[in-house]
Structure formats: C-alpha cells, structure tokens
Amino acid sequence: MATEGIEAVFLTTHNWGKAAKFFQALGYELDFETDHNSGQLRNGDGPYVFISEIPEDQETQTQIVLKVPDADAFRADSPVEVVTPFEDTHYGTKEMTVRDPDGRLWNLQAPGKN
C-alpha cells in the first residue's frame, strides 16, 4: 500500500481562537468551525490543518495524517505494524494507526465508503 503524501496535520490546543488566528495570520483560511471549539483551515492545495481545543490539564499534541487512496488496498502481509486497523470515523473517512520502527504512531486516512 502506497500513501499519497500528507493529508492533514491534526493539532490540539488550549485555546481554539488564538490557534485559529495564528494560522490565519500565516495565510490559512478557515474552511469550517464546529460548535465545540475546533475547526479546519487550509492554505492552497496543501494539507489541511484541523485544530481541536482540549482542557488545560491535557498535553497538546501534533499528528501528521498520511493519505491513502483505498483502505481495502492494505495487504495483510505488509511489514508495517498495524496498531489499529482501518475503522470508519464520524466525519466520513476511514482511519488506521501504524507504528514506525522508532515507535512513533502515524495515522493513515482513506476515503469512506459512500
């Protein structure tokens, strides 16, 4: 299974408003904002940035999501360590988590079935 580059960067923040303004100052435009302090921004045709606010007592994180054209193309004999197999998301895609040789977790995102 080959990826098609970076689909998105997911960020958590302690202040959605400040984070959104920061990216807007860097040239990103707001695609949409949710009613629970999160939203998606985009700058041209590159990966989108999705930001979600979390409580102050949680550590902020950054996650890079790699694009996969088809979840069904993943081969069971792949040398990639699967942490969680492809699962449907509440926002219409399928996501899988894999681990690289150094222990980092990566999310793979494929289109959902229509």
Side-chain angles (χ1 to χ4, degrees), residues 23 38 79 89:
F23 279 94
S38 65
T89 66

Side-chain angles (χ1 to χ4, degrees), residues 88-94 109-114:
D88 292 326
T89 66
H90 68 279
Y91 42 89
T93 64
K94 289 183 172 283
Q109 183 173 295
K113 298 294 182 204
N114 293 329

